[in-house]
Amino acid sequence: MSATRAPGAVPAAPSKEPIRPQGVKKTRNPKRLLIYVLLAVGLLVMSAPFLWMAFSAFKTSSELSASPPVWIPTEWTLDNFRDLLDKLDLPLYFMNSVIVAVLVTVSNLVFCSMLGYALAKLNFVGRNKIFGLVLGALMVPGNLMLLPLFVLMSKLQLIDSYAGLVLPFAAGAFGVFLMRQFMQSIPDELLEAARMDGAGEWYIFWRIVMPLVKPALATLSIFAFLGSWNNFVWPLIATNDPDKYTLPVALATFATDPNKAGGSNGMLMAGAFLVVLPVLILFIALQRHFTQGIATAGMK
Amino acid sequence: MSTMTGKAAQPAKVQAGPGTSQSPAAGPQERRGRKRPSMGVQNAAGWLFSTPFLVLFTVFMAFPILATLLMSFTDFGLRNVTHPLDANFIGFENYANLFGDEKFLKSLFNTAYFVVIGVPLTIFLGLVVAVLLNNGIDRARTFFRVGFYAPVVTTIVAVAVVWRFVLDPSDGLIAGLFTEVGLTPPDFLGSETLAMPSMIAMAVWRNLGTVMVLFIAGLQAIPTEVREAAKLDGAGVWHEFRRITVPLLRPTLLYATVITTIGYLNVFEEPFVMTQGGPSDSTLTVSLNMYREGFNFFHMGYASAMAYVLFVVIMGITVLQLRLLKDNTK
């Protein structure tokens, strides 16, 4: 759980958005108004599916199939959630998803930081080759590994286990790249001073470097956690036992099996609502770290 | 970042005298005078810090990538999951069969369709939103950015389920809009011609945010002086956009195009949840086809060949895009 708490503890980066001088407040030109209108319309279109989902989850079956459609339910009901929880053991899948995501996050934080530190701050033979490997790994599509990975996991008897779900994602190239970029900005003098005081590399890494890159760790936590939370293809392949399904696999199985969902859009919307809500809350609370991460990984 | 270039040059020199602390080529100027930890220590530490990643990388990435290649030359099937070494080597038979396989060719076509329409739309709309957000909007910028980016972070399976309902011909949101204006709502996902466009619409909706964030970062990197100067010279909005913004955004445009293309070439979840590849395979993508051949029918050798064809296509297109877009810069 510590991994999920970490990002919240990090102070938000100072806003880079310029503070407008007073007096500019009035919309001098109609151009600005037009921009606002365009953006508002765009945002409405973007959020329509979410709103539709959220409202539909609380609709009665008659309102769900009403034509013309009813946006806001007149009579709010929890029946959809109740029916869904009767048919689908969501708390179990939720826990599976949380356990896998937390393990993936923690291992990424540790392993990616370690290699990031080595690549950014240690001179060693083969460093450039390893960095080349990391960059190459960024470009390989995940689908290329699925088949042998399944065979390997079957051989290791890790199908239907947390280990089988976690190991392939325990250290991602993206994380290494991100950590390296951030760690490079730490002044060498600081580390050399510590070295002269007799500090070992592990001590320097753990006690000096890691505390300095907390914002990067926060960004990496979010990306690793959400990547795991939203992952679908591998959990779909690596689990046969429904008790080991993660949330997306459980929801997809439920949604694509006509016998289970029985075409009940209410139940499906309730399910989607429960899967999407935690992610949206996490995102809105920590949105600054997202854009930072994308910009860092993307620009340099 | 300027220290980076200086450092990057070093390992080559280090290699000249590994293990010696007094490497004469250790660095320019003052660096030599400083007490440095012995190269041996840094070497050992470097490799120790790299080991966990390298082990995981070797077992769960390098090995599978190679194994896929080997498997693609065999008749690897269900029985070989327990006895991998019993698979028979069949040369290029899988590859030869692929190009006579109508289903595969159709999935290739469908994926191309998805990419050719989807990528430009995503890039264009992402750019439009980024430019709008960067021009004259300061107050609500974060609010809008969050709103446009939200679909990116949501669980694709859940979102696909929602879109299925949104597009439902009897009680969906869009069907409702059609009935309201007196039109018969089309069965989006049940129609061979409309299923793919519907999926593209959803992909654009979902991925526009990533592109937008990249463009915002790119736009903010353009010095304000450049824009001001252009304005003083009497450049109009459109002129400024074409002559200043677009050329300076080229690197971002390139990056955004490449990652969007790679993502779209791998499209899997959308058809898996929304249509299962139907109707009549009109939304069967290469990835979905590969998944089915591999994990439903256990034609794993054949599926491996598909994976490699897709991989080669992705590499080819990426290299091509890098070339084309780079040349245009000059």
Side-chain angles (χ1 to χ4, degrees), chain B residues 91-121:
Chain B
F92 283 90
E93 203 179 303
N94 286 327
Y95 290 94
N97 288 341
L98 273 181
F99 292 96
D101 179 348
E102 257 175 55
K103 215 167 194 174
F104 176 72
L105 294 176
K106 187 152 194 184
S107 72
L108 212 54
F109 171 81
N110 290 338
T111 308
Y113 180 12
F114 189 85
V115 169
V116 167
I117 308 291
V119 172
L121 266 178

PDB file of all heavy atoms in Angstrom, chain B residues 91-121:
ATOM      1  N   GLY B  91      10.274 -24.559 -41.520  1.00  0.00           N
ATOM      2  CA  GLY B  91      10.769 -23.490 -42.386  1.00  0.00           C
ATOM      3  C   GLY B  91       9.795 -22.337 -42.492  1.00  0.00           C
ATOM      4  O   GLY B  91       9.193 -21.932 -41.504  1.00  0.00           O
ATOM      5  N   PHE B  92       9.626 -21.861 -43.728  1.00  0.00           N
ATOM      6  CA  PHE B  92       8.802 -20.672 -43.926  1.00  0.00           C
ATOM      7  C   PHE B  92       7.333 -20.985 -44.204  1.00  0.00           C
ATOM      8  O   PHE B  92       6.600 -20.129 -44.663  1.00  0.00           O
ATOM      9  CB  PHE B  92       9.382 -19.825 -45.072  1.00  0.00           C
ATOM     10  CG  PHE B  92      10.596 -19.047 -44.657  1.00  0.00           C
ATOM     11  CD1 PHE B  92      11.864 -19.583 -44.777  1.00  0.00           C
ATOM     12  CD2 PHE B  92      10.460 -17.769 -44.114  1.00  0.00           C
ATOM     13  CE1 PHE B  92      12.975 -18.859 -44.375  1.00  0.00           C
ATOM     14  CE2 PHE B  92      11.567 -17.037 -43.706  1.00  0.00           C
ATOM     15  CZ  PHE B  92      12.840 -17.593 -43.838  1.00  0.00           C
ATOM     16  N   GLU B  93       6.935 -22.208 -43.919  1.00  0.00           N
ATOM     17  CA  GLU B  93       5.576 -22.619 -44.260  1.00  0.00           C
ATOM     18  C   GLU B  93       4.510 -21.698 -43.658  1.00  0.00           C
ATOM     19  O   GLU B  93       3.564 -21.302 -44.341  1.00  0.00           O
ATOM     20  CB  GLU B  93       5.351 -24.058 -43.792  1.00  0.00           C
ATOM     21  CG  GLU B  93       4.250 -24.758 -44.550  1.00  0.00           C
ATOM     22  CD  GLU B  93       4.088 -26.196 -44.063  1.00  0.00           C
ATOM     23  OE1 GLU B  93       5.076 -26.950 -44.100  1.00  0.00           O
ATOM     24  OE2 GLU B  93       2.978 -26.530 -43.637  1.00  0.00           O
ATOM     25  N   ASN B  94       4.680 -21.364 -42.344  1.00  0.00           N
ATOM     26  CA  ASN B  94       3.691 -20.477 -41.707  1.00  0.00           C
ATOM     27  C   ASN B  94       3.582 -19.158 -42.454  1.00  0.00           C
ATOM     28  O   ASN B  94       2.476 -18.671 -42.708  1.00  0.00           O
ATOM     29  CB  ASN B  94       4.088 -20.193 -40.255  1.00  0.00           C
ATOM     30  CG  ASN B  94       3.834 -21.386 -39.354  1.00  0.00           C
ATOM     31  OD1 ASN B  94       2.891 -22.146 -39.566  1.00  0.00           O
ATOM     32  ND2 ASN B  94       4.692 -21.550 -38.363  1.00  0.00           N
ATOM     33  N   TYR B  95       4.735 -18.602 -42.788  1.00  0.00           N
ATOM     34  CA  TYR B  95       4.742 -17.304 -43.473  1.00  0.00           C
ATOM     35  C   TYR B  95       4.097 -17.421 -44.850  1.00  0.00           C
ATOM     36  O   TYR B  95       3.336 -16.552 -45.264  1.00  0.00           O
ATOM     37  CB  TYR B  95       6.176 -16.771 -43.591  1.00  0.00           C
ATOM     38  CG  TYR B  95       6.749 -16.356 -42.257  1.00  0.00           C
ATOM     39  CD1 TYR B  95       7.515 -17.240 -41.507  1.00  0.00           C
ATOM     40  CD2 TYR B  95       6.507 -15.086 -41.744  1.00  0.00           C
ATOM     41  CE1 TYR B  95       8.036 -16.857 -40.272  1.00  0.00           C
ATOM     42  CE2 TYR B  95       7.018 -14.696 -40.526  1.00  0.00           C
ATOM     43  CZ  TYR B  95       7.784 -15.587 -39.794  1.00  0.00           C
ATOM     44  OH  TYR B  95       8.285 -15.210 -38.576  1.00  0.00           O
ATOM     45  N   ALA B  96       4.435 -18.524 -45.536  1.00  0.00           N
ATOM     46  CA  ALA B  96       3.858 -18.731 -46.865  1.00  0.00           C
ATOM     47  C   ALA B  96       2.339 -18.857 -46.760  1.00  0.00           C
ATOM     48  O   ALA B  96       1.597 -18.247 -47.532  1.00  0.00           O
ATOM     49  CB  ALA B  96       4.457 -19.977 -47.506  1.00  0.00           C
ATOM     50  N   ASN B  97       1.889 -19.592 -45.755  1.00  0.00           N
ATOM     51  CA  ASN B  97       0.444 -19.774 -45.581  1.00  0.00           C
ATOM     52  C   ASN B  97      -0.269 -18.463 -45.278  1.00  0.00           C
ATOM     53  O   ASN B  97      -1.400 -18.243 -45.722  1.00  0.00           O
ATOM     54  CB  ASN B  97       0.167 -20.766 -44.462  1.00  0.00           C
ATOM     55  CG  ASN B  97       0.510 -22.187 -44.872  1.00  0.00           C
ATOM     56  OD1 ASN B  97       0.624 -22.479 -46.065  1.00  0.00           O
ATOM     57  ND2 ASN B  97       0.692 -23.054 -43.894  1.00  0.00           N
ATOM     58  N   LEU B  98       0.395 -17.609 -44.502  1.00  0.00           N
ATOM     59  CA  LEU B  98      -0.232 -16.342 -44.107  1.00  0.00           C
ATOM     60  C   LEU B  98      -0.722 -15.561 -45.308  1.00  0.00           C
ATOM     61  O   LEU B  98      -1.804 -14.991 -45.296  1.00  0.00           O
ATOM     62  CB  LEU B  98       0.774 -15.482 -43.336  1.00  0.00           C
ATOM     63  CG  LEU B  98       0.877 -15.709 -41.840  1.00  0.00           C
ATOM     64  CD1 LEU B  98       1.899 -14.758 -41.252  1.00  0.00           C
ATOM     65  CD2 LEU B  98      -0.473 -15.497 -41.186  1.00  0.00           C
ATOM     66  N   PHE B  99       0.107 -15.549 -46.363  1.00  0.00           N
ATOM     67  CA  PHE B  99      -0.254 -14.686 -47.469  1.00  0.00           C
ATOM     68  C   PHE B  99      -1.261 -15.307 -48.429  1.00  0.00           C
ATOM     69  O   PHE B  99      -1.670 -14.674 -49.393  1.00  0.00           O
ATOM     70  CB  PHE B  99       1.012 -14.151 -48.150  1.00  0.00           C
ATOM     71  CG  PHE B  99       1.728 -13.210 -47.216  1.00  0.00           C
ATOM     72  CD1 PHE B  99       2.779 -13.651 -46.428  1.00  0.00           C
ATOM     73  CD2 PHE B  99       1.267 -11.907 -47.066  1.00  0.00           C
ATOM     74  CE1 PHE B  99       3.385 -12.785 -45.526  1.00  0.00           C
ATOM     75  CE2 PHE B  99       1.872 -11.041 -46.157  1.00  0.00           C
ATOM     76  CZ  PHE B  99       2.934 -11.487 -45.377  1.00  0.00           C
ATOM     77  N   GLY B 100      -1.690 -16.535 -48.098  1.00  0.00           N
ATOM     78  CA  GLY B 100      -2.806 -17.094 -48.838  1.00  0.00           C
ATOM     79  C   GLY B 100      -4.037 -17.164 -47.949  1.00  0.00           C
ATOM     80  O   GLY B 100      -5.087 -17.663 -48.352  1.00  0.00           O
ATOM     81  N   ASP B 101      -3.898 -16.670 -46.734  1.00  0.00           N
ATOM     82  CA  ASP B 101      -4.971 -16.762 -45.741  1.00  0.00           C
ATOM     83  C   ASP B 101      -5.847 -15.518 -45.811  1.00  0.00           C
ATOM     84  O   ASP B 101      -5.446 -14.431 -45.421  1.00  0.00           O
ATOM     85  CB  ASP B 101      -4.316 -16.899 -44.351  1.00  0.00           C
ATOM     86  CG  ASP B 101      -5.349 -16.989 -43.244  1.00  0.00           C
ATOM     87  OD1 ASP B 101      -6.537 -16.730 -43.505  1.00  0.00           O
ATOM     88  OD2 ASP B 101      -4.949 -17.314 -42.112  1.00  0.00           O
ATOM     89  N   GLU B 102      -7.048 -15.703 -46.339  1.00  0.00           N
ATOM     90  CA  GLU B 102      -7.924 -14.555 -46.542  1.00  0.00           C
ATOM     91  C   GLU B 102      -8.230 -13.816 -45.252  1.00  0.00           C
ATOM     92  O   GLU B 102      -8.335 -12.599 -45.217  1.00  0.00           O
ATOM     93  CB  GLU B 102      -9.241 -15.029 -47.165  1.00  0.00           C
ATOM     94  CG  GLU B 102      -9.321 -14.742 -48.657  1.00  0.00           C
ATOM     95  CD  GLU B 102     -10.576 -15.326 -49.255  1.00  0.00           C
ATOM     96  OE1 GLU B 102     -11.673 -14.995 -48.749  1.00  0.00           O
ATOM     97  OE2 GLU B 102     -10.466 -16.135 -50.201  1.00  0.00           O
ATOM     98  N   LYS B 103      -8.377 -14.593 -44.195  1.00  0.00           N
ATOM     99  CA  LYS B 103      -8.694 -13.997 -42.908  1.00  0.00           C
ATOM    100  C   LYS B 103      -7.557 -13.087 -42.458  1.00  0.00           C
ATOM    101  O   LYS B 103      -7.787 -11.985 -41.964  1.00  0.00           O
ATOM    102  CB  LYS B 103      -8.898 -15.108 -41.876  1.00  0.00           C
ATOM    103  CG  LYS B 103      -9.948 -14.765 -40.878  1.00  0.00           C
ATOM    104  CD  LYS B 103     -10.365 -15.971 -40.067  1.00  0.00           C
ATOM    105  CE  LYS B 103     -11.644 -15.609 -39.365  1.00  0.00           C
ATOM    106  NZ  LYS B 103     -12.271 -16.660 -38.658  1.00  0.00           N
ATOM    107  N   PHE B 104      -6.337 -13.564 -42.633  1.00  0.00           N
ATOM    108  CA  PHE B 104      -5.192 -12.749 -42.236  1.00  0.00           C
ATOM    109  C   PHE B 104      -5.106 -11.486 -43.084  1.00  0.00           C
ATOM    110  O   PHE B 104      -4.879 -10.392 -42.574  1.00  0.00           O
ATOM    111  CB  PHE B 104      -3.893 -13.555 -42.350  1.00  0.00           C
ATOM    112  CG  PHE B 104      -2.678 -12.726 -42.036  1.00  0.00           C
ATOM    113  CD1 PHE B 104      -2.414 -12.333 -40.738  1.00  0.00           C
ATOM    114  CD2 PHE B 104      -1.816 -12.316 -43.040  1.00  0.00           C
ATOM    115  CE1 PHE B 104      -1.315 -11.539 -40.435  1.00  0.00           C
ATOM    116  CE2 PHE B 104      -0.711 -11.520 -42.748  1.00  0.00           C
ATOM    117  CZ  PHE B 104      -0.461 -11.141 -41.447  1.00  0.00           C
ATOM    118  N   LEU B 105      -5.296 -11.660 -44.398  1.00  0.00           N
ATOM    119  CA  LEU B 105      -5.222 -10.494 -45.279  1.00  0.00           C
ATOM    120  C   LEU B 105      -6.294  -9.477 -44.900  1.00  0.00           C
ATOM    121  O   LEU B 105      -6.059  -8.271 -44.906  1.00  0.00           O
ATOM    122  CB  LEU B 105      -5.364 -10.923 -46.737  1.00  0.00           C
ATOM    123  CG  LEU B 105      -4.200 -11.794 -47.243  1.00  0.00           C
ATOM    124  CD1 LEU B 105      -4.449 -12.258 -48.672  1.00  0.00           C
ATOM    125  CD2 LEU B 105      -2.872 -11.048 -47.147  1.00  0.00           C
ATOM    126  N   LYS B 106      -7.463  -9.993 -44.537  1.00  0.00           N
ATOM    127  CA  LYS B 106      -8.538  -9.095 -44.124  1.00  0.00           C
ATOM    128  C   LYS B 106      -8.153  -8.357 -42.839  1.00  0.00           C
ATOM    129  O   LYS B 106      -8.380  -7.157 -42.700  1.00  0.00           O
ATOM    130  CB  LYS B 106      -9.828  -9.889 -43.903  1.00  0.00           C
ATOM    131  CG  LYS B 106     -11.015  -8.999 -43.642  1.00  0.00           C
ATOM    132  CD  LYS B 106     -12.311  -9.646 -44.097  1.00  0.00           C
ATOM    133  CE  LYS B 106     -13.416  -8.604 -44.145  1.00  0.00           C
ATOM    134  NZ  LYS B 106     -14.709  -9.168 -44.477  1.00  0.00           N
ATOM    135  N   SER B 107      -7.536  -9.093 -41.896  1.00  0.00           N
ATOM    136  CA  SER B 107      -7.148  -8.450 -40.642  1.00  0.00           C
ATOM    137  C   SER B 107      -6.066  -7.404 -40.893  1.00  0.00           C
ATOM    138  O   SER B 107      -6.036  -6.355 -40.242  1.00  0.00           O
ATOM    139  CB  SER B 107      -6.687  -9.492 -39.621  1.00  0.00           C
ATOM    140  OG  SER B 107      -5.437 -10.032 -39.972  1.00  0.00           O
ATOM    141  N   LEU B 108      -5.215  -7.687 -41.852  1.00  0.00           N
ATOM    142  CA  LEU B 108      -4.180  -6.728 -42.220  1.00  0.00           C
ATOM    143  C   LEU B 108      -4.817  -5.463 -42.801  1.00  0.00           C
ATOM    144  O   LEU B 108      -4.463  -4.339 -42.441  1.00  0.00           O
ATOM    145  CB  LEU B 108      -3.244  -7.377 -43.251  1.00  0.00           C
ATOM    146  CG  LEU B 108      -1.777  -6.987 -43.281  1.00  0.00           C
ATOM    147  CD1 LEU B 108      -1.132  -7.146 -41.924  1.00  0.00           C
ATOM    148  CD2 LEU B 108      -1.030  -7.827 -44.311  1.00  0.00           C
ATOM    149  N   PHE B 109      -5.780  -5.685 -43.677  1.00  0.00           N
ATOM    150  CA  PHE B 109      -6.495  -4.562 -44.280  1.00  0.00           C
ATOM    151  C   PHE B 109      -7.223  -3.747 -43.203  1.00  0.00           C
ATOM    152  O   PHE B 109      -7.150  -2.519 -43.177  1.00  0.00           O
ATOM    153  CB  PHE B 109      -7.490  -5.070 -45.330  1.00  0.00           C
ATOM    154  CG  PHE B 109      -8.403  -3.994 -45.843  1.00  0.00           C
ATOM    155  CD1 PHE B 109      -7.980  -3.104 -46.824  1.00  0.00           C
ATOM    156  CD2 PHE B 109      -9.689  -3.853 -45.328  1.00  0.00           C
ATOM    157  CE1 PHE B 109      -8.816  -2.101 -47.278  1.00  0.00           C
ATOM    158  CE2 PHE B 109     -10.525  -2.843 -45.771  1.00  0.00           C
ATOM    159  CZ  PHE B 109     -10.094  -1.966 -46.750  1.00  0.00           C
ATOM    160  N   ASN B 110      -7.914  -4.456 -42.302  1.00  0.00           N
ATOM    161  CA  ASN B 110      -8.660  -3.760 -41.247  1.00  0.00           C
ATOM    162  C   ASN B 110      -7.741  -2.910 -40.372  1.00  0.00           C
ATOM    163  O   ASN B 110      -8.070  -1.791 -40.003  1.00  0.00           O
ATOM    164  CB  ASN B 110      -9.390  -4.770 -40.357  1.00  0.00           C
ATOM    165  CG  ASN B 110     -10.538  -5.441 -41.071  1.00  0.00           C
ATOM    166  OD1 ASN B 110     -11.059  -4.916 -42.052  1.00  0.00           O
ATOM    167  ND2 ASN B 110     -10.923  -6.612 -40.600  1.00  0.00           N
ATOM    168  N   THR B 111      -6.577  -3.487 -40.036  1.00  0.00           N
ATOM    169  CA  THR B 111      -5.631  -2.742 -39.207  1.00  0.00           C
ATOM    170  C   THR B 111      -5.136  -1.505 -39.953  1.00  0.00           C
ATOM    171  O   THR B 111      -5.032  -0.415 -39.370  1.00  0.00           O
ATOM    172  CB  THR B 111      -4.449  -3.652 -38.825  1.00  0.00           C
ATOM    173  OG1 THR B 111      -4.966  -4.856 -38.274  1.00  0.00           O
ATOM    174  CG2 THR B 111      -3.561  -2.984 -37.806  1.00  0.00           C
ATOM    175  N   ALA B 112      -4.845  -1.679 -41.242  1.00  0.00           N
ATOM    176  CA  ALA B 112      -4.383  -0.548 -42.049  1.00  0.00           C
ATOM    177  C   ALA B 112      -5.450   0.544 -42.095  1.00  0.00           C
ATOM    178  O   ALA B 112      -5.153   1.734 -41.929  1.00  0.00           O
ATOM    179  CB  ALA B 112      -4.040  -1.026 -43.459  1.00  0.00           C
ATOM    180  N   TYR B 113      -6.694   0.151 -42.283  1.00  0.00           N
ATOM    181  CA  TYR B 113      -7.837   1.062 -42.311  1.00  0.00           C
ATOM    182  C   TYR B 113      -7.884   1.867 -41.012  1.00  0.00           C
ATOM    183  O   TYR B 113      -7.954   3.104 -41.005  1.00  0.00           O
ATOM    184  CB  TYR B 113      -9.095   0.211 -42.494  1.00  0.00           C
ATOM    185  CG  TYR B 113     -10.414   0.929 -42.552  1.00  0.00           C
ATOM    186  CD1 TYR B 113     -10.504   2.309 -42.699  1.00  0.00           C
ATOM    187  CD2 TYR B 113     -11.622   0.202 -42.482  1.00  0.00           C
ATOM    188  CE1 TYR B 113     -11.734   2.938 -42.752  1.00  0.00           C
ATOM    189  CE2 TYR B 113     -12.844   0.823 -42.531  1.00  0.00           C
ATOM    190  CZ  TYR B 113     -12.903   2.200 -42.659  1.00  0.00           C
ATOM    191  OH  TYR B 113     -14.120   2.812 -42.711  1.00  0.00           O
ATOM    192  N   PHE B 114      -7.785   1.133 -39.913  1.00  0.00           N
ATOM    193  CA  PHE B 114      -7.821   1.751 -38.584  1.00  0.00           C
ATOM    194  C   PHE B 114      -6.711   2.796 -38.437  1.00  0.00           C
ATOM    195  O   PHE B 114      -6.934   3.898 -37.933  1.00  0.00           O
ATOM    196  CB  PHE B 114      -7.654   0.639 -37.541  1.00  0.00           C
ATOM    197  CG  PHE B 114      -7.887   1.067 -36.126  1.00  0.00           C
ATOM    198  CD1 PHE B 114      -9.166   1.092 -35.595  1.00  0.00           C
ATOM    199  CD2 PHE B 114      -6.826   1.417 -35.306  1.00  0.00           C
ATOM    200  CE1 PHE B 114      -9.388   1.477 -34.285  1.00  0.00           C
ATOM    201  CE2 PHE B 114      -7.039   1.797 -33.996  1.00  0.00           C
ATOM    202  CZ  PHE B 114      -8.322   1.831 -33.485  1.00  0.00           C
ATOM    203  N   VAL B 115      -5.514   2.455 -38.896  1.00  0.00           N
ATOM    204  CA  VAL B 115      -4.366   3.347 -38.750  1.00  0.00           C
ATOM    205  C   VAL B 115      -4.471   4.551 -39.685  1.00  0.00           C
ATOM    206  O   VAL B 115      -4.283   5.697 -39.271  1.00  0.00           O
ATOM    207  CB  VAL B 115      -3.049   2.576 -39.023  1.00  0.00           C
ATOM    208  CG1 VAL B 115      -1.873   3.531 -39.147  1.00  0.00           C
ATOM    209  CG2 VAL B 115      -2.796   1.565 -37.923  1.00  0.00           C
ATOM    210  N   VAL B 116      -4.811   4.272 -40.951  1.00  0.00           N
ATOM    211  CA  VAL B 116      -4.791   5.330 -41.964  1.00  0.00           C
ATOM    212  C   VAL B 116      -5.824   6.417 -41.661  1.00  0.00           C
ATOM    213  O   VAL B 116      -5.580   7.602 -41.855  1.00  0.00           O
ATOM    214  CB  VAL B 116      -5.017   4.725 -43.374  1.00  0.00           C
ATOM    215  CG1 VAL B 116      -5.305   5.811 -44.393  1.00  0.00           C
ATOM    216  CG2 VAL B 116      -3.789   3.928 -43.775  1.00  0.00           C
ATOM    217  N   ILE B 117      -6.983   6.020 -41.164  1.00  0.00           N
ATOM    218  CA  ILE B 117      -7.990   7.019 -40.803  1.00  0.00           C
ATOM    219  C   ILE B 117      -7.758   7.536 -39.383  1.00  0.00           C
ATOM    220  O   ILE B 117      -7.868   8.730 -39.109  1.00  0.00           O
ATOM    221  CB  ILE B 117      -9.424   6.429 -40.900  1.00  0.00           C
ATOM    222  CG1 ILE B 117      -9.659   5.771 -42.256  1.00  0.00           C
ATOM    223  CG2 ILE B 117     -10.467   7.503 -40.619  1.00  0.00           C
ATOM    224  CD1 ILE B 117      -9.731   6.706 -43.414  1.00  0.00           C
ATOM    225  N   GLY B 118      -7.434   6.622 -38.485  1.00  0.00           N
ATOM    226  CA  GLY B 118      -7.365   6.981 -37.072  1.00  0.00           C
ATOM    227  C   GLY B 118      -6.210   7.893 -36.702  1.00  0.00           C
ATOM    228  O   GLY B 118      -6.384   8.843 -35.936  1.00  0.00           O
ATOM    229  N   VAL B 119      -5.029   7.619 -37.230  1.00  0.00           N
ATOM    230  CA  VAL B 119      -3.854   8.388 -36.809  1.00  0.00           C
ATOM    231  C   VAL B 119      -3.979   9.879 -37.190  1.00  0.00           C
ATOM    232  O   VAL B 119      -3.840  10.745 -36.322  1.00  0.00           O
ATOM    233  CB  VAL B 119      -2.549   7.770 -37.343  1.00  0.00           C
ATOM    234  CG1 VAL B 119      -1.359   8.686 -37.068  1.00  0.00           C
ATOM    235  CG2 VAL B 119      -2.321   6.409 -36.708  1.00  0.00           C
ATOM    236  N   PRO B 120      -4.259  10.196 -38.481  1.00  0.00           N
ATOM    237  CA  PRO B 120      -4.354  11.621 -38.815  1.00  0.00           C
ATOM    238  C   PRO B 120      -5.444  12.339 -38.019  1.00  0.00           C
ATOM    239  O   PRO B 120      -5.240  13.470 -37.571  1.00  0.00           O
ATOM    240  CB  PRO B 120      -4.708  11.611 -40.311  1.00  0.00           C
ATOM    241  CG  PRO B 120      -4.295  10.287 -40.807  1.00  0.00           C
ATOM    242  CD  PRO B 120      -4.430   9.335 -39.659  1.00  0.00           C
ATOM    243  N   LEU B 121      -6.572  11.666 -37.809  1.00  0.00           N
ATOM    244  CA  LEU B 121      -7.651  12.285 -37.038  1.00  0.00           C
ATOM    245  C   LEU B 121      -7.200  12.594 -35.611  1.00  0.00           C
ATOM    246  O   LEU B 121      -7.447  13.684 -35.088  1.00  0.00           O
ATOM    247  CB  LEU B 121      -8.858  11.335 -36.983  1.00  0.00           C
ATOM    248  CG  LEU B 121      -9.940  11.512 -38.031  1.00  0.00           C
ATOM    249  CD1 LEU B 121     -11.024  10.457 -37.839  1.00  0.00           C
ATOM    250  CD2 LEU B 121     -10.548  12.908 -37.913  1.00  0.00           C
TER     251      LEU B 121
END
